[in-house]
């Protein structure tokens, strides 16, 4: 039969291309490609995004005025009409189920009449209105593949008469709804999967997880779970299937991560020797008392550094929690150790940061922290290199050639090297590299990180630092190979930042408030979404403020008596450095910048930030930007200027206003945007089901401990070849950035 969508050639195999068994038209082929589905196996593992629960659906006969009703039925008589008086175009028609029919009308959406052919099976939801005769007004429509009354009882639910006399009990019916793409509907997928089931392909599926583990956590086998996830008899089965695949995903990731961890733990490293009293002395020179969290973090790290196997640790702390002090102290403890069999020199540390501005800033604060010690510090960026101290003036740094710096680093004469990506070029070789710190690690790809860490026989200790607020379960999973340390406190005396959402009308008032802060000696960041004047030909761009134009306007109209400068990514490094230095020293009071200042920049006296076009930034980014102004004990202010009324934008800015810290904000963001947006899915390639699992601490812990036991006794999974294969296959889809 030519029109039949499925053609059958030979016994179906899991790895067969769908095109070998299904007759597909071009649009369907394209859609499947978009969905990343090529083989039978791919389709089986394309899980329903959700199930349509018919629990609230009503029989048409039972509809009453005022109901917000959901009905299933067949459309008929759709046509476009103009209303008699107001000449408004409407689409009207009728929906019928096996209990009766009702009129439907859409106002101002005449095109709907053309979208659904006569006889379409649909789900409608809308309000039941009308005086004399009832109708459903402006319902939303979705085509469905079958009506409840036609549903195969054995597959979905027991048909049974209800008290209201409707033909079937709707309560337990579940339709799988898949992620679709133009040309491929849920209906197609449902039928295609039925076909696959009928072809006994499931018999080819073995379970990589052993039955003991499955029993322990009450999980169905892979085969059963596949049937349940696509055609659940009831909610419980559907959930059990999802739970199984969720467990599987976390378990596989844990296995990968613990394998890495156990490999790493066997490597050799350079261990450090440093006395507690030396550390105390170093810490005593900070202009502040360390927080308890900072002290704990330093203890944990130093104790790792003393070991013979390389540390792999993640230091997670909100913006402004003081990660740099932890970095500096632990680097100090490394420089206090002599290289093996040597009575001079120091073990070396590398400190990698994502931007040049940040590298220079860290270089300068390290100069201050190490100036009393006989320790040289190098700076390496793509635009130039520096060394501290200079031979001529021991209080200053000098510019030196890259070749010269690299020679000294390779000779072990520069114990501390701070830099950007330039640090991981092949030409950079260390004589005695013992410790690597990666600041704002989420900015670097995994491969880049590994370049710094993988040295052949000696592996340096690694500290990754991040302000990305991710839930503990997610951290335990995607960073399962790392030990985790949290900086849970902010420095003493920090006042909660005051965040305001400023609309067009209240700008003036805000500027007045800001002037008061400036007059009291504080400084201001103004963040704009773009650098240049907008292109007048691009209508949409017109409202987006540019750094250059805004700086001019502010100088002319608002902040006449203050020094204003601008900063953006297209400037030359030297220029940027000068501007940052002038801002740091207070010579300029206002810095109008793009989000280049987002990462790590530290000017404690700048306590006010205005963010123009705030709706254009993501929540995490806004939080980072706001983090620029909580670096001292002065009251800090963040004004988000937004000329938008869009619901989600406003909701996001409100979340920013009310969230006390990055973790709370991440949770809010998750709620507003749905899972997987902020982190997880895009960032690491986790599936929707995997993201669900992440919300379940018990499951994550179970998967983690099972993986731990397994890897401890069989590090390369030699004894479980199926599992090993499955883990490797999964690893290909994941990317742990
Ligand atoms: P982040 O964790 O965002 O990297 P920084 O290390 O840049 O934070 O620290 C933010 C600011 O707080 C810096 O000015 C730093 O000197 C200061 N700071 C760090 N620790 C403390 C502390 N324990 N008490 C007071 N101020 C501190
Ligand atoms: Mg920092």
């Amino acid at each position: 039969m030519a029109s039949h969508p499925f053609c059958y050639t030979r016994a179906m195999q899991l790895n067969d291309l769908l095109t070998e068994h299904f007759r597909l038209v071009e649009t369907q082929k394209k859609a499947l490609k978009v969905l990343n589905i090529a083989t039978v196996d791919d389709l089986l593992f394309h899980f329903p995004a959700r199930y349509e629960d018919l629990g609230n659906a009503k029989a048409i006969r039972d509809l009453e005025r005022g109901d917000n009703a959901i009905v299933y039925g067949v459309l008929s008589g759709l046509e476009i009409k103009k209303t008699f008086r107001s000449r408004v175009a409407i689409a009207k028609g009728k929906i019928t189920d096996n209990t009766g029919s009702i009129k439907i009308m859409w106002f101002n959406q005449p095109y709907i009449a053309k979208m659904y052919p006569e006889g379409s099976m649909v789900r409608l939801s809308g309000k039941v209105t009308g005086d004399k005769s009832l109708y459903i007004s402006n319902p939303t429509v979705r085509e469905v593949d079958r009506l409840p009354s036609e549903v195969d009882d054995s597959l979905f639910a027991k048909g049974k008469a209800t008290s209201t006399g409707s033909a079937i009990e709707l309560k337990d019916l579940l339709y799988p709804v898949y992620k679709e793409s133009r040309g491929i509907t849920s209906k197609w997928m449902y039928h295609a999967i039925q076909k696959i089931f009928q072809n006994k392909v499931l018999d080819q599926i073995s379970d990589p997880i052993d039955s003991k583990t499955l029993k322990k956590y009450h999980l169905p086998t892979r085969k059963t779970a596949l049937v349940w996830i696509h055609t659940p008899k009831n909610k419980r089965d559907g959930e059990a299937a999802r739970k199984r695949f969720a467990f599987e995903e976390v378990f596989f990731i844990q296995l990968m991560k613990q394998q890495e961890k156990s490999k790493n733990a066997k490597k050799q490293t350079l261990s450090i020797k440093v006395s507690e009293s030396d550390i105390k002395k170093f810490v005593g020179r900070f202009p502040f008392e360390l927080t308890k969290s900072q002290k704990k973090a330093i203890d944990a790290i130093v104790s790792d550094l003393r070991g013979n196997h390389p540390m792999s640790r993640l230091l997670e702390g909100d913006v402004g929690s003081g990660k740099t002090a932890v970095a500096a102290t632990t680097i100090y403890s490394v420089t206090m150790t002599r290289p093996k069999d040597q009575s001079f020199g120091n073990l070396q540390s590398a400190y990698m940061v994502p931007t040049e501005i940040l590298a220079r800033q860290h270089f300068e604060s390290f100069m201050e922290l190490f100036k009393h010690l006989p320790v040289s510090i190098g700076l390496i960026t793509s635009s130039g290199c520096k060394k501290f101290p200079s031979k001529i003036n021991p209080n200053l740094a000098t510019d030196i050639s890259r070749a010269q710096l690299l020679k000294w680093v390779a000779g072990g004469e520069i114990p501390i090297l701070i830099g950007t990506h330039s640090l991981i070029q092949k030409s950079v070789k260390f004589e005695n590299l013992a410790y690597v710190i990666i600041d704002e690690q989420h900015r670097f790809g995994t491969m880049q990180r590994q370049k710094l860490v993988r040295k052949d026989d000696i592996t340096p200790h690694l500290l990754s630092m991040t302000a990305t607020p991710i839930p503990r379960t997610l951290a335990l999973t995607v960073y399962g190979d790392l030990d985790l340390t949290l900086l849970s406190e902010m420095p003493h005396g920090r006042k909660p930042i005051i965040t305001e959402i400023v609309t067009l009308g209240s700008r003036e008032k805000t500027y007045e408030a800001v002037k008061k802060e400036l007059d009291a000696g504080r400084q201001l960041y103004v963040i704009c979404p773009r650098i240049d004047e907008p292109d007048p030909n691009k209508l949409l761009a017109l409202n987006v403020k540019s750094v250059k134009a805004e700086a001019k306007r502010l100088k002319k109209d608002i902040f006449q008596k203050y020094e204003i400068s601008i900063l953006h990514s297209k400037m030359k490094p030297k220029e940027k450095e000068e501007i940052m230095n002038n801002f740091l020293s207070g010579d300029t009071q206002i810095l109008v910048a793009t989000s280049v200042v987002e990462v790590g920049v530290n000017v404690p006296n700048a306590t006010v930030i205005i963010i123009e076009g705030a709706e254009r930034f993501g929540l995490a980014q806004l939080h980072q930007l706001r983090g620029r102004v909580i670096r001292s004990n002065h009251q800090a202010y963040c004004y988000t200027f937004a000329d938008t009324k869009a619901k989600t934008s406003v909701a996001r800015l409100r979340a920013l206003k009310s969230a006390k810290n990055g973790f709370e904000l991440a949770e809010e963001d998750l709620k507003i945007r749905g899972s997987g947006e902020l982190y997880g899915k895009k960032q690491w390639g986790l599936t929707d089901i995997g993201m669900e699992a992440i919300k379940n601490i018990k499951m994550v812990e179970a998967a983690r401990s099972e993986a731990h036991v397994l890897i401890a006794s069989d590090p390369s999974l030699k004894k479980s070849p199926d599992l090993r294969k499955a883990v490797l296959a999964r690893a290909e889809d994941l990317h742990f950035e």
Side-chain angles (χ1 to χ4, degrees):
M1 242 189 337
S3 64
H4 196 280
F6 312 124
C7 58
Y8 181 72
T9 47
R10 60 180 173 83
M12 199 186 276
Q13 304 292 317
L14 265 179
N15 291 329
D16 285 353
L17 290 174
L18 286 174
T19 46
E20 293 173 54
H21 300 280
F22 297 88
R23 192 161 286 148
L24 298 165
V25 297
E26 263 328 292
T27 47
Q28 288 175 316
K29 283 184 195 161
K30 265 194 208 144
L32 286 170
K33 202 165 171 200
V34 169
L35 293 168
N36 236 334
I37 299 173
T39 63
V40 170
D41 191 52
D42 292 342
L43 187 59
L44 273 180
F45 284 86
H46 182 70
F47 297 152
R50 60 192 167 85
Y51 302 94
E52 189 68 35
D53 182 354
L54 303 190
N56 302 318
K58 264 195 154 179
I60 288 177
R61 183 172 61 198
D62 298 337
L63 292 179
E64 285 169 27
R65 182 173 298 111
D67 279 354
N68 273 316
I70 298 173
V71 294
Y72 284 77
V74 175
L75 289 181
S76 59
L78 284 192
E79 56 173 351
I80 300 175
K81 277 266 162 83
K82 290 250 157 88
T83 51
F84 180 65
R85 251 188 242 134
S86 53
R87 310 299 297 162
V88 173
I90 58 172
K92 54 183 280 191
K94 197 167 78 169
I95 180 164
T96 307
D97 71 5
N98 59 354
T99 67
S101 5
I102 185 169
K103 268 202 297 187
I104 38 182
M105 267 196 270
W106 292 271
F107 300 92
N108 283 319
Q109 307 169 69
Y111 53 88
I112 286 187
K114 299 217 177 104
M115 282 169 59
Y116 301 97
E118 183 80 10
S120 299
M121 289 189 277
V122 296
R123 170 191 192 270
L124 279 194
S125 68
K127 190 154 181 125
V128 180
T129 46
D131 305 326
K132 276 171 255 140
S133 68
L134 294 182
Y135 65 94
I136 307 179
S137 83
N138 292 326
T140 54
V141 195
R142 200 165 49 69
E143 275 192 277
V144 295
D145 52 339
R146 55 208 178 277
L147 297 177
S149 53
E150 300 168 2
V151 166
D152 175 358
D153 282 2
S154 65
L155 200 54
F156 281 92
K158 284 177 253 119
K160 124 180 131 191
T162 65
S163 54
T164 55
S166 297
I168 49 159
E169 170 72 271
L170 296 169
K171 214 175 99 223
D172 254 353
L173 291 178
L174 295 175
Y175 284 114
V177 180
Y178 294 89
K179 187 169 164 230
E180 301 175 345
S181 183
R182 225 174 75 90
I184 290 286
T185 58
S186 282
K187 178 175 163 178
W188 186 91
M189 287 196 214
Y190 175 81
H191 287 296
I193 286 165
Q194 289 300 309
K195 186 85 188 170
I196 294 173
F197 285 175
Q198 283 155 20
N199 274 281
K200 307 235 177 303
V201 179
L202 289 184
D203 293 343
Q204 300 164 25
I205 289 192
S206 62
D207 203 323
I209 302 181
D210 67 287
S211 55
K212 221 176 86 203
T213 309
L214 294 179
K215 266 220 189 86
K216 185 165 166 193
Y217 298 104
H218 308 290
L219 301 170
T221 63
R222 218 179 201 203
K223 188 171 150 185
T224 306
L226 279 171
V227 175
W228 284 358
I229 204 157
H230 290 294
T231 52
K233 278 208 195 70
N234 52 46
K235 271 195 183 140
R236 220 185 51 227
D237 285 357
E239 273 156 21
R242 297 185 90 80
K243 190 171 143 201
R244 184 228 138 94
F245 288 115
F247 179 86
E248 182 179 302
E249 177 150 341
V250 178
F251 184 51
F252 287 2
I253 295 174
Q254 290 290 351
L255 285 169
M256 283 173 228
K257 291 287 164 181
Q258 308 243 355
Q259 267 181 318
E260 268 172 55
K261 192 170 179 170
S262 94
K263 253 194 241 156
N264 197 47
K266 290 188 189 113
K267 291 194 179 132
Q268 288 306 311
T269 191
L270 301 167
S271 61
I272 66 155
K273 289 174 194 64
V274 63
S275 71
E276 287 305 316
S277 67
D278 277 344
I279 292 181
K280 271 219 179 83
K281 256 189 256 161
F282 184 81
V283 166
R285 295 184 72 257
F286 284 118
F288 44 73
E289 168 94 7
L290 291 180
T291 63
K292 266 204 209 94
S293 312
Q294 282 171 317
K295 282 185 195 154
K296 259 202 206 147
I298 290 170
D299 284 351
I301 295 164
V302 169
S303 123
D304 281 358
L305 295 175
R306 287 191 170 117
N308 289 319
H309 300 293
M311 167 178 84
S312 291
R313 196 171 274 280
L314 178 71
L315 180 66
E316 213 186 325
D318 210 346
V319 270
S321 59
K323 293 184 287 296
T324 322
V326 175
T329 309
T330 50
I331 285 182
Y332 163 79
S333 75
V334 170
T335 61
M336 291 313 283
T337 307
R338 300 265 180 241
K340 212 166 166 236
D341 308 325
Q342 229 173 269
S343 58
F344 58 93
N346 324 68
L347 290 186
Q348 292 174 295
S349 303
Y351 191 176
M352 183 159 78
V353 302
T355 68
E356 180 149 355
I357 293 177
L358 201 52
R360 287 176 190 279
Q361 183 190 291
H362 280 343
F363 180 68
E364 267 156 39
S365 42
F366 271 55
M367 278 166 52
E368 187 57 35
L369 290 169
F370 287 86
K371 65 182 179 201
H372 64 297
L373 297 164
V375 170
S376 310
I377 307 171
L379 171 72
I380 182 166
T381 70
S382 56
S383 64
C385 299
K386 281 177 188 278
K387 177 184 166 278
F388 171 83
S390 129
K391 278 202 185 111
I392 304 151
N393 185 341
N395 291 321
L396 293 179
T398 47
D399 290 317
I400 59 170
S401 75
R402 189 184 158 83
Q404 181 58 264
L405 180 71
L406 292 185
K407 217 172 112 193
W408 278 331
V409 170
E413 288 154 75
I414 296 203
I416 304 173
L417 185 60
I418 298 172
T420 53
H421 289 81
S422 307
L423 255 176
I424 45 178
Q425 278 154 11
K426 274 216 189 83
S427 51
V428 185
K429 295 208 175 66
F430 294 82
E431 168 80 4
N432 287 305
L433 184 62
Y435 187 27
V436 169
I437 297 186
I438 297 171
D439 197 6
E440 313 282 352
Q441 63 90 28
H442 54 283
R443 294 270 172 153
F444 295 98
T446 318
M447 295 325 276
Q448 288 176 328
R449 294 205 293 267
Q450 282 175 355
K451 274 190 207 148
L452 247 176
V453 180
R454 299 274 148 88
K455 292 268 155 159
D456 311 331
D457 46 347
I458 299 284
T459 307
H461 299 282
L462 169 71
L463 180 70
S464 267
M465 307 203 295
T466 182
T468 316
I470 63 175
R472 191 176 158 73
T473 47
L474 187 60
L476 285 177
T477 305
V478 295
Y479 299 127
D481 53 332
L482 306 178
D483 295 312
L484 199 61
T485 300
L486 288 183
L487 286 188
S488 52
E489 295 166 87
M490 289 299 263
H492 311 291
R494 292 277 192 273
K495 300 184 187 72
I497 188 163
I498 295 176
T499 301
E500 300 285 358
I501 305 168
V502 182
T503 45
L504 264 181
S506 46
R507 276 175 178 251
E508 295 310 314
K509 232 174 62 201
T510 304
Y511 286 135
E512 288 313 309
V514 171
K515 278 183 200 162
K516 275 201 196 114
E517 290 302 309
L518 291 170
D519 290 338
R522 304 285 83 75
Q523 288 166 280
L524 164 72
Y525 294 100
V526 179
I527 307 299
C528 297
R530 39 183 309 142
I531 299 173
D532 284 302
E533 294 278 9
D535 179 350
N537 296 323
K538 289 202 185 121
L539 236 140
L540 274 177
L542 271 180
N543 290 325
V544 181
K545 292 237 154 122
S546 80
V547 165
K548 289 176 184 166
E550 182 65 4
K552 253 191 227 152
R553 183 187 80 87
L554 289 175
K555 181 73 191 175
K556 188 166 151 274
D557 299 340
I558 317 276
F559 297 120
Q560 291 92 343
K561 63 174 190 171
Y562 309 95
E563 288 301 319
I564 302 182
S565 57
I566 64 173
L567 183 75
H568 56 75
S569 57
K570 294 220 176 108
M571 292 167 114
K572 295 216 179 68
K574 277 269 176 268
E575 252 180 298
K576 281 192 218 166
E577 187 184 348
E578 206 181 306
I579 299 235
M580 273 320 291
N581 282 342
N582 288 341
F583 191 56
L584 190 60
S585 67
D587 290 346
T588 41
Q589 286 94 48
I590 302 174
L591 188 65
V592 183
T594 53
S595 56
V596 283
V597 298
E598 172 189 338
V599 191
V601 166
N602 186 33
V603 179
N605 192 47
T607 57
V608 187
I609 187 165
I610 288 176
I611 305 172
E612 287 282 354
E615 73 275 12
R616 291 176 173 268
F617 296 99
L619 260 190
Q621 208 182 358
L622 287 171
H623 182 63
Q624 282 282 344
L625 284 167
R626 175 168 72 170
R628 291 319 108 221
V629 295
I630 30 174
R631 300 181 162 260
S632 75
N633 288 345
H634 295 294
Q635 177 63 57
Y637 302 87
C638 169
Y639 298 105
T640 57
F641 283 18
D643 304 330
T644 174
K645 293 199 178 71
K647 240 196 205 151
T648 50
S649 304
V650 175
R652 279 168 53 223
L653 294 180
R654 286 220 182 100
L656 183 73
K657 184 176 156 81
S658 61
K660 283 190 226 42
N661 55 49
F663 285 91
E664 259 186 53
L665 197 63
E667 298 293 328
E668 278 304 309
D669 206 17
L670 202 64
K671 275 188 221 145
I672 299 167
R673 292 203 285 179
S675 68
E677 277 289 336
L678 179 66
Y679 42 62
K681 231 170 115 188
K682 271 202 210 118
Q683 213 165 348
W684 292 293
L686 294 183
T687 65
D688 288 338
I689 282 198
M691 284 309 292
E692 274 172 43
I694 293 303
K695 292 184 192 152
N696 183 343
I697 178 98
K698 268 198 197 136
M699 179 182 290
V700 170
E701 271 164 5
R704 191 172 149 90
S705 74
E706 292 301 329
H708 188 79
V709 171
L710 203 55
I711 295 298
S713 70
D714 183 13
S716 50
L717 294 176
K718 263 196 215 107
K719 288 176 229 151
S720 323
D722 277 356
L723 185 57
R724 189 189 149 127
K725 239 170 68 194
V727 170
L728 279 176
R730 187 68 190 95
E732 280 172 21
D733 301 331
L734 293 163
H735 40 91
F736 291 103
E737 289 298 302

